[in-house]
Each structure stands twice: as C-alpha cells, then as structure tokens.
Amino acid sequence: MVMCKDVVENIMEYIDAELDDKTLEELEKHLDECPECQAFVRTYKKMLELTGKLRERTFVTPDIRQRLKELLKSKLKPN
Amino acid sequence: MIDTITGQRGKETSPPDLVNTTDEKLIELFVSSNDERVFEEIVNRYTNKIYRLAFRITRDHHSAEEVLQEIFITLINKIDTFRGGSKFSSWLYRVTANASYMHLRAEKKYESDVSLEDYVPYDENGTLMGRIKANDWSERPDKALLSKEAMEIIEKAVNELPEPYRVVFHLRDVEGFSNEEVSEVLGLSVPALKSRLHRARLFLRDKLSDYFYEWSK
C-alpha cells in the first residue's frame, strides 16, 4: 500500500515524469485521497520555482566589476 | 572601434560576432590571437556565474570576489591547458568550485561531515504529520513570494544547507545544469548527486514552509 513516505521518496521522479506506469498510478491514487501529500507536492513545486529565481540575482556590484577590470588590465598583454 | 579592458581601441577589421560564438570557439580564438575583446566576452559571460557559485560555496562576499579574480587570472595564464575534453563551462565551474573549497579550508569553514541523509518529513509510520496542509503557502500571491524580502528568505534558506548539499542544489536547481553536467563538475556519481539533491530539496521545502509561516504571522 502506498503511503506518504512513498510520495516523498519518489517526488523527484514524479516531478520529472520518470516513474513507471504502475508506480505512477499507485502514487496518484494516494495523492487523490491525501490532502497532506497534495500540499506537499504543491509546496515542493513552488519551492523549486522560487529557488530557480535565484539565478536571476546578481551579486556583482559595479565596484567588484571595476576592481576585476583593473586587475585584468594589468594581466592582459595588449596585442 | 571599441574600448577594451586595457583601454586600447579595437582593431579596424570587422570583429567576429563574439556574442553568438560558442565558449569553445572563444577559447580557441583567444589562444590563437590573444585578442582582449575575446577575453572580455568570456568575462561578460561568466562573471556573475562564477561569483554566484563561489558565494554559494563560501557564503562570503570577500572570498567570492577573491575566487572570481583568481579564476580569470588562471584563465589568462593557463587557458591553453584547457583541452576541450569537457565543455568549457563544466571545466570553469569545476575550477571555481575547487578554488572556493580552498578558501573554505583555509578559513576552516569546511563542513563536509554534516549529513542530511536521514532528513525526512514523515514519521516512523511513513505518514506526513498533518501540518503541511495547514501551513500550505504555495497559493500565496507571487507579489509576496517574489518580493525582495521573500527572496532574502529563500537565499537564507539555501545558505542553511550543509555545503555538500548546497553546491549540488545550486548547480542543478539554480543554474539549471543537467545531472550529468553536475556529475562532471563535482566528480560525483549521478546516483550520489541525486540523493543529495533529494535531501536538499526536502530540507528547503521544510525551511521555506517554516519561514513563510512565521513571516505571515
């Protein structure tokens, strides 16, 4: 019998659609009946969406860029 | 004519379309020509990515800047040692990760012994414990979840991951690498990195639930 634990331990494959048909069917049956697991899947997906936004952040300030430019200027030999 | 890193003006000849040139071709061009416009394109392409990875590993802006500078100096001095056996980006991330670990070790902040392998959200009966639905924050408006304050919360949660999990999560879920690419960068087997990624995601889902629940009070 599928339990919450099975949803948790198969969540990566579930999200990536990598489960075999039988496992998928059993998990979805449990999911249909388990509000806790439904909330788990929703918050898991939302967590992935939000953490993916970190890719858009830049920590490199103009000062860091300028220091890097100055340093590389001294290291690069002009043609 | 363009101004370059050294302040020299670019050559009159039509420059190649550097923005649309592959990394590997750029390296080839730089090795053969020493053209600083080519190097500048590599710098533009990778500055943010190198810094983000270095900061994710060291959690220290000063160390991240030092790593950033070290990596580009290494590139200038040793770019001809890149043999093209792997993707340039994988090679660069590997060198960046290694330099970042050196900083962590030098500052005695390396924490590879912290394990999340037993981290699970369910009880001994394999059942979720009844607070996930009660604390479900997934339907909150994007305006709140994507606010500056929320992004700081997310950043804080990721930085709480122990390092071996943090770097896997960063490369796979933040930078969007495939399992195979992360495996190549970190020298980890795909099953090992998937196991770390799984625990990291469970930890983060829990952390975000705690933070967003507290935040909404």
Side-chain angles (χ1 to χ4, degrees):
Chain A
M1 191 180 83
V2 169
M3 299 158 56
C4 303
K5 177 183 177 179
D6 300 302
V7 173
V8 171
E9 293 303 337
N10 285 290
I11 185 74
M12 279 174 64
E13 290 76 13
Y14 177 69
I15 298 279
D16 293 338
E18 290 175 352
L19 290 175
D20 62 76
D21 290 347
K22 184 170 179 292
T23 311
L24 179 63
E25 190 183 333
E26 287 171 355
L27 280 191
E28 288 191 328
K29 186 168 181 295
H30 175 87
L31 271 168
D32 280 346
E33 297 161 356
C34 181
E36 275 293 291
C37 281
Q38 291 165 18
F40 174 79
V41 172
R42 277 197 302 273
T43 47
Y44 185 95
K45 284 181 174 173
K46 199 71 185 177
M47 177 275 295
L48 288 179
E49 183 191 325
L50 293 179
T51 50
K53 300 281 182 196
L54 294 178
R55 189 180 186 182
E56 295 163 16
R57 296 194 104 194
T58 176
F59 298 109
V60 181
T61 62
D63 281 352
I64 293 173
R65 226 172 255 284
Q66 186 57 33
R67 285 194 289 271
L68 178 66
K69 193 174 174 179
E70 291 297 319
L71 178 74
L72 297 181
K73 186 177 172 180
S74 67
K75 303 287 177 186
L76 276 169
K77 298 181 194 84
N79 284 329
Chain B
M1 298 280 272
I2 54 166
D3 289 326
T4 57
I5 288 174
T6 60
Q8 286 211 323
R9 310 215 77 195
K11 291 178 181 174
E12 290 285 0
T13 51
S14 323
D17 179 11
L18 297 178
V19 174
N20 292 313
T21 302
T22 64
D23 290 346
E24 289 71 20
K25 188 69 188 168
L26 281 179
I27 303 306
E28 211 179 297
L29 276 172
F30 183 67
V31 170
S32 63
S33 68
N34 205 35
D35 185 338
E36 65 191 59
R37 287 172 301 177
V38 176
F39 195 77
E40 195 157 302
E41 174 58 24
I42 301 170
V43 171
N44 288 340
R45 211 172 273 193
Y46 281 101
T47 294
N48 276 323
K49 293 172 179 175
I50 291 173
Y51 192 97
R52 269 203 305 266
L53 176 58
F55 178 67
R56 189 64 67 210
I57 292 174
T58 62
R59 291 183 292 196
D60 178 76
H61 285 292
H62 182 68
S63 296
E65 184 174 355
E66 284 189 354
V67 170
L68 177 72
Q69 295 179 348
E70 284 168 30
I71 296 304
F72 282 122
I73 290 172
T74 302
L75 262 181
I76 291 171
N77 295 332
K78 297 182 179 174
I79 203 162
D80 53 344
T81 64
F82 171 67
R83 295 286 175 227
S86 58
K87 273 174 70 179
F88 173 72
S89 58
S90 302
W91 180 81
L92 193 59
Y93 276 99
R94 186 161 61 244
V95 176
T96 302
N98 288 339
S100 305
Y101 290 134
M102 294 280 280
H103 274 259
L104 274 186
R105 290 195 181 100
E107 291 164 25
K108 303 194 187 323
K109 289 180 181 170
Y110 194 63
E111 48 184 18
S112 64
D113 56 337
V114 181
S115 173
L116 292 179
E117 291 315 300
D118 297 327
Y119 192 89
V120 291
Y122 45 81
D123 61 18
E124 63 275 15
N125 299 317
T127 306
L128 289 173
M129 291 167 269
R131 58 187 178 83
I132 294 181
K133 187 170 184 306
N135 294 354
D136 186 356
W137 48 274
S138 63
E139 303 295 331
R140 294 207 187 157
D142 277 354
K143 192 179 172 193
L145 291 176
L146 296 175
S147 66
K148 194 171 174 221
E149 197 179 352
M151 291 314 286
E152 289 303 326
I153 286 173
I154 296 162
E155 186 78 43
K156 183 169 182 273
V158 174
N159 280 338
E160 284 184 39
L161 280 167
E163 192 287 324
Y165 300 86
R166 198 163 69 239
V167 68
V168 167
F169 181 82
H170 178 80
L171 290 173
R172 180 70 171 70
D173 284 349
V174 177
E175 295 297 338
F177 277 33
S178 68
N179 287 335
E180 290 68 27
E181 285 171 320
V182 180
S183 164
E184 193 180 337
V185 171
L186 299 178
L188 268 178
S189 69
V190 170
L193 83 84
K194 282 178 82 171
S195 167
R196 285 189 196 178
L197 183 65
H198 178 52
R199 297 301 156 200
R201 286 175 172 184
L202 294 182
F203 177 90
L204 281 175
R205 197 214 62 81
D206 267 6
K207 278 284 165 197
L208 289 189
S209 294
D210 291 345
Y211 284 143
F212 285 135
Y213 179 69
E214 284 298 316
W215 193 39
S216 67
K217 275 184 180 175

